[in-house]
Amino acid sequence: MIQEREISRGLSTKEAEKRQSTYGLNELSHKKKSSPILIFLAQFNDFIVWVLIAATVISGLMGDTADAITILIIVVVNAIMGFVQEYRTEKSLEALKELAAPTCKVIRDGVLKVINSIEVTIGDLIILEAGDRIPADGTFIESSGIMIDESLLTGESVGVSKDSKKGKNQGFMGTTVLKGRGILLIDSIGMNTEMGKIANLLDNIEEDKSPLRERLDSLGKILVALCLTICAVVTVLGILRGNEITEMFLLGVSLAVAAIPEGLAAIVTVALALGVSRMLKKNALVRKLPAVETLGCTSVICSDKTGTLTQNKMTVKEIYINGKIHDLDKDQLTNHSTIMKALVYCNDCNYDFNIKNIDKALHGDPTETALIKAFFKDVNLLKSFVSNAKRIYDIPFDSSRKMMSVIVREGTKEVCYMKGAPERVIDKCSHILENGTIKPLTTQKKKQVASYIEAMSNRALRCIAAAYKESNLVKSESLENNLIFLGVAGSIDPPRVEVRDAVLKCKLAGIQPVMITGDHKNTALAIAKSINICNTDDQAMTGEEIETISDEDLMKKVKNVRVFARVSPHHKLRIVKAFKKQNNIVAMTGDGVNDAPAIKEADIGIAMGISGTDVTKEAASMVLMDDNFATIVSAVEEGRVIYDNIRKFIRYLLSCNLGEVLTMFLASLFYLPNPLTPIQILFVNLATDGLPAIALGVDPADKDIMMQQPREKGEGIFARGLWSKIVVRGCLIGICTLLSFMTGRLYGMDLATCRTLALTTLVMSQLLHVFECRSERHSIFEIKVFTNPYLVLAVLVSMIMVCSILYIPFLSGVFNTVPLRLFQWGIVLFYSGIIFMINSLYLFIKSKK
Ligand code: ATP
């Protein structure tokens, strides 16, 4: 039984914890997570690796035991490296899922708290408003015009209204509130809910394959075929030339293992996932991995104003009343009780009268708390003021109507108060109260009032008008008619400090920032100008103007518009479509439930983490944890960095692998002995492919990354000359390695020494090349090497590995190498450094031109 005490104060935290341990958490049974062992075993799920293991075992049985063991160890080490990468990715994705978990508003210990929906328990009181998702099943004990979308359960897309006083008063987990407000008393949670019974899993983060990964998957198949062909040719040529069949076979397979970039597609996911955790540190929570790729192409960012471009710290500065404007910094308002009642009674703030500091005692929308603070500095005075009235009916604020109304009982009277956007409120008024007398609101009076509002808006003030009436209170549409106009409160909401820089950064990066707001055109323009989003008045357009033009005309117009004012959520959808038709990649922010369609339509839908509703968050591909515009810009920058890094390691891996294959291929074409043994090939792969490639994946941004134009969305990963860079460098690495091998032979060195020269040259040219891959535009002289310490470390580790197999006698025995002398190092450094030097000089001279 739920006790009376619980209904008003909710559960106590202690009781809630007790119930959680009795009834369990409010969650649907989880998908099985993949265990670390399975992830490790999956590393061997590759046909070529099995062929290599089989070939190794056979050659081991035929006598080459030491070689066989070494190869197997290398295979296992490779698998461990793959495992570490994949496990990290899995972990960071899991952490993200937890963060993206929905929250809800609950009354506990008599105060409103926001908790993770998973912590909701039986007997909790949940406060629900438009856009909220119901966290568990329960009964409405209070409701005000509440309408629920139950399509998830019933498939029926029409909203269902609920009434706490009638039979239809059940709310179900997973359904969403379309409009109105209510309090739900939870009676079943987790798997006992209707949703649990249907066992419909609501997975929060979609792990769609990114388009890039798909493209790389298919490219991978082509590369595999190509590699296998070359390896087969090398093997067959070797056999024809009288080499031992098993040795050549092992060589061919080792070459295939080393050369096939099987990890390429997977490494893209790793880079995306690592990027996603970096973005999270900057307060951008990515819900859909592919969005990271698209972010880098963003060419238009449509941003809400309030809270995103501005601080959402409202302070009422001016009040227009009785025909004149009062500056609250200078003028103390006295005896304006009717407008005070309208703005305080018609207000959805929650109070906690136990707290004496008024700033902390008020909870709610800053627009609303500001209005109360304009009149009250003292909590006790406010308490006695609000205790004089009891709300009996309300029509909540919604951003399409831009106003709200309440009926309150004051003593024996019932009074209707309204507040909202001035022109909407004036529309509903027939009279005006001035100096205690009610006068007709004539056209001339309206004009006079409008000119004051215009002046206030020009000063960047967000204006809210108030009105009231005492008689004819019928709970119908006519309620909001024939009201008496009271006045206007103008609040200042300063721009966020970091926004000016972020806007400038956008412009340099070829991205157009656009303000979309429900506020007045002049207020919006004043703020937009102050943060350099626009310069002239003709760059603004209103919702009304959007209504009057066709989609075609809107598409033509949007190019020059930087501010959309007095728009309603449904206009946002048309705006996104218009920008998209102009071939833009559009990012669009939103918070309210009505913003969801526009967010879905945008290439990058962005929901607000603080003010956003569950519905918008679910439709979005990214959530801003701090509701800040600057965070969008950093996310775009991060998107560009990740894409660049993916190009960097693709360039590195493919050119190096091409170099390895070509070394062997050219040698067999020219009837030379094999420049590398199977073990050596596998070693080169281990030393160069793993750590340096991963380190490239976390490379910091090129310093001019936000000075470039956004790339085209459909652009292939190899665009802008990447293919030719890979092919040319791959060929040069192959040729130089072979030349190093042949130089050894010319000097009459034995085969083991020549092979050591080839191996060292191959590794060193790759380790030098990895630094060049850090930038496509700058030479090595312009890149600060230590800005990526991971890469320096990875390269050092690889060099230590090479030196170990040269100079530690046991290892040099295993890998059939010899310790190189100074002169021989000279050969190695010459052949591995020559292309590097020429290329760097070329880039350096080019950049100085
Ligand atoms: P955005 O967040 O999209 O930048 P906004 O927050 O200014 O814009 P809305 O919240 O839709 O847009 O507000 C539009 C207008 O509605 C405001 O200019 C104001 O006049 C009025 N308004 C805003 N909040 C309230 C409220 N709580 N009660 C009454 N009127 C309001």
Side-chain angles (χ1 to χ4, degrees), residues 129-132 147-149 157-160 176-180 593-594:
E129 285 169 314
D132 289 345
M147 177 98 65
I148 311 274
D149 173 4
S157 59
V158 190
V160 188
T176 44
V177 182
L178 291 174
K179 58 182 184 187
V593 57
N594 313 343

Side-chain angles (χ1 to χ4, degrees), residues 293-311:
E293 258 176 74
T294 325
L295 261 175
C297 321
T298 309
S299 55
V300 172
I301 302 177
C302 296
S303 169
D304 281 345
K305 170 178 71 67
T306 311
T308 313
L309 291 166
T310 64
Q311 300 181 9

Side-chain angles (χ1 to χ4, degrees), residues 303-308 314 346 348 365 367-368 371 397-404 419-422 462-465 515-520 566-567 569 572 591 595:
S303 169
D304 281 345
K305 170 178 71 67
T306 311
T308 313
M314 310 266 177
C346 181
D348 281 333
D365 188 311
T367 307
E368 307 222 309
L371 293 173
F397 176 77
D398 108 41
S399 41
S400 298
R401 285 175 6 103
K402 302 197 191 334
M403 57 187 189
M404 67 179 283
K419 78 174 191 319
R462 178 178 169 84
C463 295
I464 294 204
M515 173 192 280
I516 300 192
T517 176
D519 227 334
H520 192 281
R566 275 289 187 253
V567 291
K572 281 188 164 181
D591 45 14
D595 290 339

